[in-house]
Amino acid sequence: YVGSSSSSQGGQVVASPPVVSGPTSAKRRSARASKTSEKDLVASATDAVLHMLQGVATLLERLGSCPAELLAALWALRGYAREKQCQVESCFQDYLQALWAIDEAWGDPRKRGGRGHPFALLLSWKLGLISYGRGEVKSIDKFADYFRSLTLHHA
């Protein structure tokens, strides 16, 4: 190695790896520290978002009634935050609740006279991806059919 040192241990010559210094190693250390701090930042921001959404949910409970779209947005945001925390089961449930709320308000696009809501495209796509990851074939077909029906009206 260029710039390496060697030492003798029990009759054997052991070469130590080169000491790399300078901008390249500093950049690597900085990049690793940056990634770690980014993960910590994302985790703390996600926790703050979930805490804020819990406060919004409490306020909505006090209202007594609110538009279905508002509940769907709340559940979708909570699902996205949980998705970022790798809580797949919880995020699936939140996305499913959001799709249910939209379905109740706007109708099922697979049925006669039902148009659905464009936001349901995102939710059915996310639910289909999670189902695909789980290997649930029936769920994949259901959400794919829902997605196709929505694209007929909104694409």
Side-chain angles (χ1 to χ4, degrees):
Y1 295 114
V2 175
S4 65
S5 61
S6 60
S7 62
S8 176
Q9 291 182 339
Q12 296 180 342
V13 176
V14 179
S16 60
V19 177
V20 179
S21 61
T24 305
S25 64
K27 285 180 185 176
R28 287 183 188 149
R29 281 193 304 271
S30 172
R32 271 186 254 133
S34 164
K35 286 180 183 178
T36 303
S37 64
E38 268 183 40
K39 287 180 182 178
D40 293 339
L41 181 64
V42 168
S44 65
T46 306
D47 288 338
V49 166
L50 284 171
H51 182 70
M52 191 169 41
L53 290 173
Q54 185 60 41
V56 170
T58 304
L59 289 173
L60 289 177
E61 284 177 14
R62 291 182 190 164
L63 286 176
S65 67
C66 67
E69 292 86 351
L70 191 57
L71 287 173
L74 174 70
W75 284 321
L77 286 172
R78 193 168 62 183
Y80 183 73
R82 288 186 173 156
E83 182 182 348
K84 289 298 169 190
Q85 290 180 330
C86 298
Q87 298 176 2
V88 178
E89 286 299 318
S90 298
C91 100
F92 185 83
Q93 290 300 318
D94 287 331
Y95 287 148
L96 196 58
Q97 283 181 320
L99 186 61
W100 171 81
I102 289 176
D103 192 52
E104 286 293 311
W106 288 79
D108 189 339
R110 298 170 292 180
K111 296 182 179 174
R112 181 180 293 270
R115 289 188 42 154
H117 190 277
F119 190 63
L121 283 165
L122 172 72
L123 295 170
S124 60
W125 174 66
K126 289 279 195 179
L127 289 164
L129 286 177
I130 294 170
S131 297
Y132 180 77
R134 290 175 170 175
E136 298 173 350
V137 178
K138 287 184 180 181
S139 292
I140 296 168
D141 288 341
K142 179 176 78 171
F143 294 121
D145 188 37
Y146 200 96
F147 186 86
R148 279 191 297 274
S149 298
L150 284 164
T151 57
L152 291 175
H153 293 287
H154 299 289

